[in-house]
Amino acid sequence: MGTSLENEPTEATRKALEFVHLKYSRLNPASHQAFLSSCKHLPGGNTRTVLHANPFPITFASGSGCTLTSLDGSTYVDFLGEYTAGIYGHNNAVIRGAINEALAKGWSFGGHSLYEKELAKLVCERFRPTIELVRFTNSGTEANMMAVATAMAWTGRESVLVFQGGYHGATLSFRDQSAESMRQKSLNLPHQWVVGVYNDIAQTKDVLSSLPNSSLAAILVEPMLGSAGAIPGSRLFLNYLRKYASDHGALLIFDEVMTSRLSYRGLGHKIGIHPDLMTLGKWVGGGMSFGAFGGRADIMALFDPTQSHGLVHAGTFNNSIISMAAGCAGCKIMDEQTIDRLNDLGELLKTKTQETIDSILGMPAAQNSSTQPLNGHTKLEDSTLQSNQNSTADSEPASPMHISGIGSILAVHFRSSGLQSLFYHSMLSQGIYIAERGFIALNIEIGIAEAEKFVEATGIFVTRYQRLILES
């Protein structure tokens, strides 16, 4: 998962990868041809880096419910969920209807509409008490950029504390902090970044102690590292950040672009820690192009255009009719009961998958293991959340293959990067689509049958590659 725990693949793993790549290429000729053709007009046939996969990515023709169909006619259960943005599944009738109704009235007014006012009300009511006032953007990246800029304007300071493994958008990426990566060109915004170690209070104290007095504008952090592998932040760590920000006049920003879907009012609220500013992503906009940042009313009042000397926040599509209409519909679909059901299913899937892995590998049973069948009733209770919150970003788990995360956002980890790719191709061959790096995000169309299929497919992979996993 791009962490320091990964080892280079063994020779046996490399040979296994060569075999599955050949088989994959034979089974997906149409996707291969689409890839080769796109390379004539797109660098590497790609306009969104994360979607590239070896030896070439699948090209999809359609999606319906919880499934995707490729150009080659293969159908996959979608366990990637558009990296959390696709929480509604594919072609949701309610969202499609809301968009069609909005489009029938026109879609580019160059002025206000009622949709943005309704969505703002829904967001503020849902994410209270953290979000008292909100502004919309076109993406989570923009939302985080604006939140950081807001903190700098509010405090009059320039330093921003971020963390290794943090990903807050294309221009706010701190996933790879290796010496080699740091020597390469970066697309990150040229702010005064201070990089700490996630879940490590002692190291964070050392980093902060090196700063000049009254220089820290903000702490930007995910309550659970998303792109770095669904690594939950500990309560102690996040509480420390909350207290430090308050004591030193800095703003605490929770990037909940992903994690806001892990509880009805967001993960920060679930664990009882409230930031000064909070960012949201596309799922809140019905899965369309959308982002939002909001928080304390006194801070957000900086953007009030009725007051003189306010901050200017431009963006032609900040109030896009399509995104606003889809967001209003989506927020109503994702009520508290639906959110809880989805995250409870994710917790059960995580437990059953890990039990299957450990059983085949002969590992000791995890403390949170359950004898309950997948179709049983399991709740994401505070005790379960607390167990996740005790995880650390750098502690090595007992099992050479493990699944981390909270609720409906999970990630499968290995000690060898080559096994990650083998797992991806094994799941594809069994009709399951995830990220090549092992990232998983459930959507509301997924049910018990699909979860059981995932556990079974994982078991087949572990059985087939048991020796390679144990030797990694």
Side-chain angles (χ1 to χ4, degrees):
M1 288 301 304
T3 73
S4 60
L5 299 180
E6 285 187 355
N7 301 319
E8 288 297 314
T10 64
E11 183 61 26
T13 299
R14 281 193 286 269
K15 288 182 178 179
L17 271 173
E18 289 176 5
F19 176 80
V20 298
H21 283 175
L22 287 172
K23 181 178 180 182
Y24 171 86
S25 298
R26 287 197 301 268
L27 292 174
N28 295 281
S31 285
H32 191 199
Q33 184 57 49
F35 169 70
L36 294 176
S37 297
S38 66
C39 286
K40 300 174 183 177
H41 311 290
L42 294 166
N46 180 277
T47 191
R48 183 182 173 194
T49 305
V50 74
L51 298 184
H52 180 71
N54 290 314
F56 56 85
I58 293 177
T59 296
F60 292 110
S62 63
S64 178
C66 66
T67 63
L68 292 164
T69 301
S70 74
L71 288 181
D72 293 282
S74 298
T75 299
Y76 305 87
V77 179
D78 181 10
F79 274 87
L80 177 54
E82 183 59 292
Y83 292 88
T84 73
I87 197 170
Y88 305 97
H90 301 282
N91 208 8
N92 182 278
V94 175
I95 291 177
R96 186 175 70 248
I99 292 173
N100 288 340
E101 180 181 344
L103 289 177
K105 303 171 187 176
W107 57 84
S108 189
F109 296 163
H112 289 256
S113 79
L114 290 178
Y115 286 113
E116 73 216 55
K117 305 177 193 310
E118 181 184 357
L119 184 55
K121 181 174 184 289
L122 289 170
V123 168
C124 288
E125 289 178 347
R126 185 188 195 107
F127 296 107
R128 65 176 188 268
T130 295
I131 297 184
E132 296 177 334
L133 293 174
V134 68
R135 288 185 74 87
F136 299 136
T137 66
N138 294 279
S139 68
T141 300
E142 281 189 26
N144 283 313
M145 289 168 54
M146 289 304 302
V148 168
T150 301
M152 295 170 68
W154 176 260
T155 62
R157 304 172 183 177
E158 297 185 352
S159 296
V160 180
L161 176 64
V162 292
F163 296 93
Q164 293 178 16
Y167 178 82
H168 310 284
T171 57
L172 301 163
S173 177
F174 307 92
R175 283 196 59 197
D176 188 351
Q177 294 295 302
S178 65
E180 180 182 355
S181 174
M182 297 300 283
R183 286 193 296 268
Q184 296 173 352
K185 292 182 179 179
S186 170
L187 294 178
N188 279 350
L189 293 172
H191 293 322
Q192 292 184 14
W193 304 113
V194 183
V195 184
V197 176
Y198 196 73
N199 275 343
D200 191 328
I201 295 176
Q203 193 277 347
T204 300
K205 285 182 178 179
D206 288 343
V207 169
L208 291 171
S209 67
S210 69
L211 295 177
N213 291 333
S214 302
S215 63
L216 185 68
I219 300 172
L220 176 62
V221 65
E222 300 166 89
M224 178 180 76
L225 290 179
S227 295
I231 307 295
S234 73
R235 273 192 174 91
L236 284 175
F237 177 69
L238 296 174
N239 268 320
Y240 167 76
L241 299 181
R242 172 67 281 176
K243 186 176 189 306
Y244 186 93
S246 298
D247 290 347
H248 293 80
L251 299 188
L252 178 63
I253 304 169
F254 271 4
D255 174 355
E256 294 225 39
V257 168
M258 288 187 176
T259 61
S260 54
R261 53 177 274 168
L262 297 181
S263 182
Y264 183 70
R265 302 194 191 282
L267 185 56
H269 183 86
K270 178 74 174 179
I271 61 180
I273 302 173
H274 299 286
D276 302 295
L277 295 172
M278 176 182 180
T279 60
L280 304 170
K282 299 175 186 67
W283 81 263
V284 181
M288 303 295 126
S289 296
F290 177 86
F293 67 102
R296 285 167 34 193
D298 57 340
I299 299 171
M300 295 301 295
L302 290 173
F303 295 95
D304 186 344
T306 68
Q307 304 298 316
S308 60
H309 309 298
L311 296 177
V312 176
H313 170 215
T316 301
F317 292 110
N318 287 352
N319 65 336
S320 161
I321 292 291
I322 294 173
S323 298
M324 299 297 104
C328 291
C331 284
K332 293 171 185 175
I333 292 171
M334 298 307 298
D335 57 21
E336 192 162 4
Q337 182 179 7
T338 302
I339 283 280
D340 287 347
R341 184 202 68 80
L342 181 64
N343 287 303
D344 291 344
L345 179 61
E347 280 297 312
L348 194 55
L349 175 64
K350 178 179 66 174
T351 299
K352 291 300 176 184
T353 301
Q354 191 65 57
E355 287 177 354
T356 298
I357 294 168
D358 291 345
S359 175
I360 297 170
L361 295 180
M363 306 300 295
Q367 289 184 349
N368 64 341
S369 62
S370 168
T371 58
Q372 197 161 307
L374 247 175
N375 60 0
H377 179 71
T378 292
K379 295 289 290 180
L380 175 53
E381 303 290 2
D382 286 341
S383 59
T384 302
L385 190 64
Q386 178 65 58
S387 175
N388 282 291
Q389 292 295 315
N390 290 332
S391 301
T392 61
D394 58 355
S395 59
E396 187 168 351
S399 177
M401 176 182 179
H402 74 284
I403 184 166
S404 67
I406 298 173
S408 60
I409 301 177
L410 307 170
V412 178
H413 302 254
F414 297 86
R415 293 178 184 166
S416 166
S417 57
L419 288 170
Q420 199 81 67
S421 187
L422 270 181
F423 180 65
Y424 166 74
H425 281 283
S426 177
M427 298 303 271
L428 282 180
S429 71
Q430 298 178 76
I432 292 174
Y433 182 61
I434 60 172
E436 187 175 24
R437 67 185 189 217
F439 188 81
I440 298 159
L442 275 61
N443 65 70
I444 61 173
E445 297 292 336
I446 287 176
I448 292 297
E450 289 78 23
E452 289 176 337
K453 179 176 181 176
F454 185 98
V455 174
E456 181 181 359
T458 301
I460 291 172
F461 165 81
V462 177
T463 300
R464 181 174 299 161
Y465 296 106
Q466 179 177 1
R467 183 178 61 83
L468 295 181
I469 297 170
L470 290 171
E471 292 177 354
S472 64

